[in-house]
Amino acid sequence: MKTLSLLAATAMAASAPTAFAQQAPAPAIEAGHTMLTVTAEGSSTREPDMANYSAGVTTQGTTASEALSANSAQMTKVIAALKRAGIADKDVQTSNLNVNPVYAQPKRLPDGSYEDDGQQRIVGYRASNSVSVRQRKLQDMGKVIDALVTAGANQVNGPNFMLSQPEAAMDEARVEAMKSARARAELYAKASGLRVARIVSISESGGYSPQPVMFVRKEARDMIAAAAPPPVAAGELEMNVNVTVQFELAP
């Protein structure tokens, strides 16, 4: 069996058998035929209709209890602001909650040594709590972010844009990828004086990713109380599908 391959050398090396792994059997083709492996990509674009972002509160206190109590009171206001802004309970999920000590920097003495042998001393505690928010109405995102910060959120990160139903766009990308793979196989077959007899196997990988659109607001509430809602540009998402197709070529 003759073989034409467009796979990268690294992929060929990764498929080499080892003492502990079993190599998958090669697909059977007719004697005198040739196996051609083609990797092709297809894509499609859509405007996102959803987004995820995180919002949270960080507070400090002299004791862990004090830091957590202040944080809980502020976070309760933040979650209430989300509800007033029209975010459903199912679209708000706690994503991070922690309380950590705050250490003082060791004091250096004139002789170059450190006070208390450089041992770190706890001077307070920091509490952080954040929620992941699913925004279904993108046109309201700026207003919601502004309401969060006004309510006391001092950490806002995101967004991650997405599609609520990506399958139709992914199917478009799949069709394009297969057309590209088939056209490339026909090209190689013709250049080799052969013809495409059949498709032996198909494998897929891919997904979708947003264009680089992001906002991050971490200002304290008193610094942005009079600020206008932040502008949010959703841009578009690109769905990508990569297919690896094995073709059997015949004389």
Side-chain angles (χ1 to χ4, degrees):
M1 178 183 74
K2 297 176 288 182
T3 300
L4 293 176
S5 180
L6 300 181
L7 290 178
T10 53
M12 295 174 64
S15 64
T18 68
F20 302 98
Q22 294 182 347
Q23 186 177 26
I29 64 172
E30 292 188 26
H33 288 196
T34 299
M35 182 78 76
L36 172 67
T37 303
V38 175
T39 299
E41 181 181 43
S43 63
S44 64
T45 59
R46 290 287 192 282
E47 292 185 4
D49 58 7
M50 287 177 57
N52 274 345
Y53 54 91
S54 66
V57 174
T58 296
T59 54
Q60 288 192 202
T62 56
T63 66
S65 177
E66 180 182 322
L68 184 59
S69 178
N71 189 281
S72 297
Q74 204 63 43
M75 198 64 191
T76 298
K77 296 178 182 179
V78 169
I79 293 176
L82 283 171
K83 293 181 179 181
R84 288 195 302 271
I87 305 298
D89 290 344
K90 66 180 180 180
D91 292 328
V92 180
Q93 184 178 56
T94 298
S95 57
N96 183 55
L97 173 61
N98 59 71
V99 180
N100 295 306
V102 177
Y103 296 96
Q105 293 296 322
K107 182 179 180 181
R108 192 164 187 173
L109 301 176
D111 62 1
S113 63
Y114 288 91
E115 189 176 59
D116 298 330
D117 294 327
Q119 295 295 318
Q120 288 186 314
R121 182 169 55 88
I122 296 176
V123 294
Y125 290 85
R126 179 181 294 113
S128 297
N129 190 354
S130 61
V131 292
S132 175
V133 182
R134 185 160 47 195
Q135 182 77 42
R136 297 181 185 273
K137 295 180 179 180
L138 295 185
Q139 67 273 20
D140 294 340
M141 186 183 297
K143 295 178 181 179
V144 175
I145 296 300
D146 189 64
L148 285 173
V149 177
T150 301
N154 52 24
Q155 292 184 339
V156 180
N157 295 280
N160 177 32
F161 292 107
M162 63 188 68
L163 295 175
S164 58
Q165 297 180 330
E167 277 305 309
M170 290 294 292
D171 285 346
E172 283 186 17
R174 291 181 179 108
V175 170
E176 182 180 324
M178 283 302 300
K179 286 181 179 179
S180 178
R182 182 78 190 202
R184 199 172 302 171
E186 295 286 356
L187 175 68
Y188 276 91
K190 183 177 181 180
S192 303
L194 303 172
R195 63 180 176 85
V196 176
R198 68 186 178 105
I199 292 176
V200 177
S201 68
I202 303 172
S203 62
E204 174 192 312
S205 64
Y208 66 91
S209 58
Q211 298 297 321
V213 180
M214 178 172 287
F215 70 84
V216 178
R217 295 191 66 172
K218 293 186 178 180
E219 300 93 335
R221 177 177 52 178
D222 57 350
M223 296 175 61
I224 51 81
V232 178
E236 66 180 15
L237 299 173
E238 183 176 86
M239 276 57 64
N240 296 292
V241 170
N242 293 284
V243 293
T244 299
V245 187
Q246 290 186 310
F247 295 90
E248 181 176 349
L249 306 186

